Amino acid sequence: MFEAPRNSAGAIRALVVLALIAILPFVLGITFRSSTVVDGELTAYSYLNLTALVGGVAALWYAVKTFAAARTASALTAILSVALVLVALVAVLQVVRGSGVIPYLTECTASPSFDLCQPKSP
């Protein structure tokens, strides 16, 4: 199903696809938010960014499969390895950002930035 890139053009094409899948959720988002305000104070906040979650999982899965295929076919170069690691890191960030776990685990109440903090109380 997955083949190692046979030439540098194939590797570049795969990396462009991976980068688009990993970066697109920063631009295009389908986000579900829920907040509860009691007496003017934010008491509960949660969100789920579906685009980031799905895009991150897809990019991570594809990066791992491409890495394994290239390694098996002895087509793994240093540049491809570094690029796949960078894409995997962005994909993991997308999964964490999309799942909504950061505001749940932290007390961050700054202005929301990349869905990593909950908004300030109104």
Side-chain angles (χ1 to χ4, degrees):
M1 183 169 159
F2 284 92
E3 296 180 11
R6 294 189 176 133
N7 53 29
S8 62
I12 291 171
R13 190 173 333 126
L15 291 175
V16 168
V17 169
L18 283 172
L20 285 175
I21 291 172
I23 294 173
L24 188 62
F26 282 119
V27 179
L28 181 74
I30 300 172
T31 306
F32 302 99
R33 298 177 193 271
S34 172
S35 62
T36 304
V37 178
V38 176
D39 294 330
E41 186 174 331
L42 184 67
T43 58
Y45 176 75
S46 65
Y47 73 89
L48 174 68
N49 187 329
L50 196 59
T51 310
L53 189 61
V54 171
V57 169
L60 188 60
W61 177 74
Y62 192 75
V64 168
K65 290 293 187 178
T66 302
F67 177 80
R71 186 172 171 215
T72 302
S74 298
L76 190 62
T77 62
I79 294 173
L80 182 60
S81 298
V82 169
L84 287 173
V85 167
L86 290 175
V87 169
L89 288 174
V90 172
V92 168
L93 171 69
Q94 292 290 17
V95 170
V96 169
R97 184 176 82 91
S99 66
V101 71
I102 298 294
Y104 179 74
L105 294 178
T106 66
E107 294 296 322
C108 181
T109 57
S111 59
S113 174
F114 294 120
D115 294 332
L116 296 177
C117 289
Q118 60 190 8
K120 292 180 182 178
S121 295

